Amino acid sequence: SCKGSSDNIDISLHQDRIKKTTFFYLLIYKAIIGMLGQTLTKQKDIKAEQIMHMLYYEIPIHLNNIRSNSTNILTNSEPHTTMIPPPLDLYQKAISALGKCKQMELVMKILNEMELNERIQMINPQESSTMSSFDNGQHEGFAYKLPIPDEMTYQTALTAAIRCKAYRESINILLHKMKQKAKIRPSILAYNQVLSCISNSGQQFIQNSGDDRYNLAMQILQEMEEDPSIEPLE
């Protein structure tokens, strides 16, 4: 009985160390991703690639190694084959950093893959999506469940769109992502972010001569007025 109690204490202490180790490394990765977003213009493509490599490969591998080593120590079992994805706040940090690197295409890639994974889990909760073909597919095949994007994730993506002057993407996020989700209703802040993006994307409207900035802004205002989740006094 005493031995069993001692073993339980040892396991509990070991699990506590694993949690602290994981938390510590995630803080480091979050700081690194944040620093990669603060970079010179000529380095933005390189830094964005480093962010994506960390998010899709390095961090899941590292988290999996921590878990596998702890499992082997505690149970002598085989390592896990399902990778551990970064937590949601790390995806948000990456989206913010990619926005600062003017990489809206990669921001949309992350959002689309998170949403695809969410749909897969709704159909089959036991199913895991496969890792993206980022890095030319050389790391493809690791299976994991991505976190489900929440309102803050979309708000962060809208901020990225403003930085990238990506007005089309901002409208897509608002109308075709946020408004299509049952559990997320765009706030007045989200509408204002899209309007701000439209307002600040003058050069992009010149390049896309088929778009009318005024008409797009009025469409967003009408959407906001007809949105039942927006209070009149807001």
Side-chain angles (χ1 to χ4, degrees):
S1 176
C2 290
K3 186 179 185 304
S5 177
S6 176
D7 289 343
N8 288 336
I9 292 174
D10 289 342
I11 292 174
S12 178
L13 289 174
H14 186 76
Q15 290 175 335
D16 186 56
R17 283 196 294 269
I18 293 302
K19 288 180 181 179
K20 289 180 179 178
T21 301
T22 302
F23 178 74
F24 173 73
Y25 278 112
L26 288 175
L27 282 180
I28 292 175
Y29 279 123
K30 190 181 293 187
I32 292 173
I33 289 175
M35 287 188 292
L36 288 172
Q38 305 290 340
T39 185
L40 299 175
T41 303
K42 63 181 180 180
Q43 299 175 324
K44 291 186 184 300
D45 290 345
I46 297 173
K47 300 303 183 184
E49 184 174 347
Q50 291 174 333
I51 291 168
M52 294 296 284
H53 178 81
M54 290 178 65
L55 191 67
Y56 278 93
Y57 181 68
E58 185 175 331
I59 298 175
I61 289 289
H62 198 161
L63 295 180
N64 188 68
N65 288 340
I66 293 173
R67 180 181 65 173
S68 295
N69 291 338
S70 66
T71 302
N72 292 338
I73 291 172
L74 293 174
T75 65
N76 294 319
S77 63
E78 292 296 320
H80 291 270
T81 56
T82 302
M83 305 301 292
I84 303 176
L88 181 58
D89 62 340
L90 235 164
Y91 277 89
Q92 293 167 350
K93 191 73 174 180
I95 288 171
S96 176
L98 289 169
K100 293 175 182 177
C101 290
K102 303 296 188 288
Q103 299 289 331
M104 196 61 201
E105 182 178 346
L106 294 179
V107 170
M108 297 303 292
K109 171 185 172 65
I110 292 174
L111 280 182
N112 290 337
E113 291 190 353
M114 293 175 80
E115 291 176 335
L116 173 61
N117 188 80
E118 181 181 6
R119 291 193 293 272
I120 290 172
Q121 291 185 52
M122 288 176 64
I123 297 171
N124 183 0
Q126 303 305 316
E127 185 71 20
S128 298
S129 67
T130 56
M131 182 173 279
S132 162
S133 57
F134 182 70
D135 286 343
N136 298 319
Q138 65 183 27
H139 302 313
E140 190 174 10
F142 296 117
Y144 58 52
K145 294 180 180 179
L146 278 68
I148 295 174
D150 61 2
E151 184 176 352
M152 179 59 69
T153 306
Y154 290 110
Q155 295 277 182
T156 305
L158 286 174
T159 301
I162 294 173
R163 290 194 173 106
C164 297
K165 300 185 187 302
Y167 68 92
R168 286 179 172 176
E169 286 82 355
S170 73
I171 295 171
N172 182 11
I173 292 169
L174 177 69
L175 300 184
H176 303 296
K177 293 185 178 297
M178 298 182 77
K179 293 196 73 172
Q180 300 303 315
K181 303 193 75 168
K183 295 183 179 180
I184 295 179
R185 303 310 306 169
S187 65
I188 193 168
L189 174 61
Y191 283 100
N192 285 338
Q193 283 180 298
V194 174
L195 290 171
S196 176
C197 192
I198 293 173
S199 173
N200 294 328
S201 301
Q203 187 61 38
Q204 279 64 33
F205 277 95
I206 294 174
Q207 295 171 0
N208 302 309
S209 55
D211 291 334
D212 186 303
R213 181 160 41 169
Y214 174 78
N215 285 337
L216 281 175
M218 293 306 296
Q219 289 174 23
I220 297 301
L221 282 173
Q222 184 175 351
E223 287 279 348
M224 182 169 62
E225 290 173 354
E226 295 175 354
D227 192 330
S229 65
I230 302 296
E231 297 292 334
L233 293 178
E234 286 193 82

mmCIF file of all heavy atoms in Angstrom, residues 1-14 74:
data_model
loop_
_atom_site.group_PDB
_atom_site.id
_atom_site.type_symbol
_atom_site.label_atom_id
_atom_site.label_comp_id
_atom_site.label_asym_id
_atom_site.label_seq_id
_atom_site.Cartn_x
_atom_site.Cartn_y
_atom_site.Cartn_z
ATOM 1 N N SER A 1 0.820 -1.198 0.000
ATOM 2 C CA SER A 1 0.000 0.000 0.000
ATOM 3 C C SER A 1 0.859 1.256 0.000
ATOM 4 O O SER A 1 0.624 2.207 -0.717
ATOM 5 C CB SER A 1 -0.924 -0.017 1.207
ATOM 6 O OG SER A 1 -1.655 1.172 1.282
ATOM 7 N N CYS A 2 1.927 1.227 0.841
ATOM 8 C CA CYS A 2 2.841 2.376 0.907
ATOM 9 C C CYS A 2 3.569 2.547 -0.402
ATOM 10 O O CYS A 2 3.782 3.660 -0.876
ATOM 11 C CB CYS A 2 3.843 2.178 2.046
ATOM 12 S SG CYS A 2 3.090 2.301 3.679
ATOM 13 N N LYS A 3 3.948 1.391 -1.032
ATOM 14 C CA LYS A 3 4.665 1.467 -2.297
ATOM 15 C C LYS A 3 3.765 2.053 -3.387
ATOM 16 O O LYS A 3 4.206 2.880 -4.199
ATOM 17 C CB LYS A 3 5.141 0.076 -2.720
ATOM 18 C CG LYS A 3 6.026 0.092 -3.967
ATOM 19 C CD LYS A 3 6.494 -1.302 -4.318
ATOM 20 C CE LYS A 3 7.475 -1.254 -5.492
ATOM 21 N NZ LYS A 3 6.924 -0.592 -6.658
ATOM 22 N N GLY A 4 2.480 1.602 -3.390
ATOM 23 C CA GLY A 4 1.548 2.136 -4.381
ATOM 24 C C GLY A 4 1.349 3.621 -4.211
ATOM 25 O O GLY A 4 1.292 4.375 -5.182
ATOM 26 N N SER A 5 1.268 4.072 -2.975
ATOM 27 C CA SER A 5 1.112 5.502 -2.705
ATOM 28 C C SER A 5 2.337 6.270 -3.157
ATOM 29 O O SER A 5 2.231 7.361 -3.722
ATOM 30 C CB SER A 5 0.874 5.707 -1.210
ATOM 31 O OG SER A 5 0.793 7.071 -0.912
ATOM 32 N N SER A 6 3.515 5.709 -2.926
ATOM 33 C CA SER A 6 4.772 6.354 -3.337
ATOM 34 C C SER A 6 4.857 6.457 -4.850
ATOM 35 O O SER A 6 5.295 7.483 -5.393
ATOM 36 C CB SER A 6 5.956 5.562 -2.797
ATOM 37 O OG SER A 6 7.170 6.105 -3.253
ATOM 38 N N ASP A 7 4.426 5.382 -5.554
ATOM 39 C CA ASP A 7 4.451 5.406 -7.023
ATOM 40 C C ASP A 7 3.528 6.487 -7.564
ATOM 41 O O ASP A 7 3.863 7.192 -8.523
ATOM 42 C CB ASP A 7 4.018 4.037 -7.575
ATOM 43 C CG ASP A 7 5.075 2.962 -7.329
ATOM 44 O OD1 ASP A 7 6.234 3.341 -7.045
ATOM 45 O OD2 ASP A 7 4.742 1.769 -7.414
ATOM 46 N N ASN A 8 2.353 6.624 -6.943
ATOM 47 C CA ASN A 8 1.407 7.648 -7.386
ATOM 48 C C ASN A 8 1.967 9.050 -7.204
ATOM 49 O O ASN A 8 1.770 9.929 -8.046
ATOM 50 C CB ASN A 8 0.093 7.521 -6.608
ATOM 51 C CG ASN A 8 -0.706 6.296 -7.013
ATOM 52 O OD1 ASN A 8 -0.537 5.793 -8.128
ATOM 53 N ND2 ASN A 8 -1.554 5.816 -6.124
ATOM 54 N N ILE A 9 2.678 9.269 -6.105
ATOM 55 C CA ILE A 9 3.305 10.571 -5.853
ATOM 56 C C ILE A 9 4.377 10.842 -6.891
ATOM 57 O O ILE A 9 4.481 11.952 -7.431
ATOM 58 C CB ILE A 9 3.899 10.618 -4.429
ATOM 59 C CG1 ILE A 9 2.771 10.584 -3.386
ATOM 60 C CG2 ILE A 9 4.748 11.870 -4.253
ATOM 61 C CD1 ILE A 9 3.271 10.480 -1.958
ATOM 62 N N ASP A 10 5.193 9.811 -7.212
ATOM 63 C CA ASP A 10 6.251 9.971 -8.216
ATOM 64 C C ASP A 10 5.658 10.314 -9.584
ATOM 65 O O ASP A 10 6.171 11.177 -10.298
ATOM 66 C CB ASP A 10 7.067 8.681 -8.317
ATOM 67 C CG ASP A 10 7.942 8.455 -7.087
ATOM 68 O OD1 ASP A 10 8.167 9.433 -6.349
ATOM 69 O OD2 ASP A 10 8.375 7.308 -6.871
ATOM 70 N N ILE A 11 4.586 9.612 -9.953
ATOM 71 C CA ILE A 11 3.933 9.880 -11.239
ATOM 72 C C ILE A 11 3.375 11.290 -11.265
ATOM 73 O O ILE A 11 3.529 12.020 -12.249
ATOM 74 C CB ILE A 11 2.809 8.848 -11.496
ATOM 75 C CG1 ILE A 11 3.406 7.461 -11.736
ATOM 76 C CG2 ILE A 11 1.947 9.282 -12.684
ATOM 77 C CD1 ILE A 11 2.365 6.366 -11.843
ATOM 78 N N SER A 12 2.747 11.702 -10.163
ATOM 79 C CA SER A 12 2.166 13.048 -10.093
ATOM 80 C C SER A 12 3.248 14.121 -10.212
ATOM 81 O O SER A 12 3.080 15.112 -10.930
ATOM 82 C CB SER A 12 1.410 13.207 -8.774
ATOM 83 O OG SER A 12 0.886 14.506 -8.650
ATOM 84 N N LEU A 13 4.371 13.914 -9.531
ATOM 85 C CA LEU A 13 5.477 14.876 -9.601
ATOM 86 C C LEU A 13 6.061 14.932 -11.004
ATOM 87 O O LEU A 13 6.393 16.012 -11.514
ATOM 88 C CB LEU A 13 6.561 14.497 -8.588
ATOM 89 C CG LEU A 13 6.222 14.716 -7.109
ATOM 90 C CD1 LEU A 13 7.329 14.153 -6.221
ATOM 91 C CD2 LEU A 13 6.032 16.203 -6.828
ATOM 92 N N HIS A 14 6.170 13.758 -11.629
ATOM 93 C CA HIS A 14 6.721 13.718 -12.984
ATOM 94 C C HIS A 14 5.794 14.420 -13.969
ATOM 95 O O HIS A 14 6.254 15.185 -14.830
ATOM 96 C CB HIS A 14 6.941 12.267 -13.414
ATOM 97 C CG HIS A 14 7.627 12.144 -14.741
ATOM 98 N ND1 HIS A 14 8.980 12.362 -14.901
ATOM 99 C CD2 HIS A 14 7.135 11.851 -15.979
ATOM 100 C CE1 HIS A 14 9.293 12.203 -16.172
ATOM 101 N NE2 HIS A 14 8.196 11.889 -16.839
ATOM 102 N N LEU A 74 6.972 6.617 -17.611
ATOM 103 C CA LEU A 74 5.908 6.227 -16.686
ATOM 104 C C LEU A 74 5.361 4.834 -16.959
ATOM 105 O O LEU A 74 5.020 4.099 -16.042
ATOM 106 C CB LEU A 74 4.766 7.240 -16.752
ATOM 107 C CG LEU A 74 5.089 8.652 -16.243
ATOM 108 C CD1 LEU A 74 3.918 9.575 -16.505
ATOM 109 C CD2 LEU A 74 5.421 8.630 -14.764
#
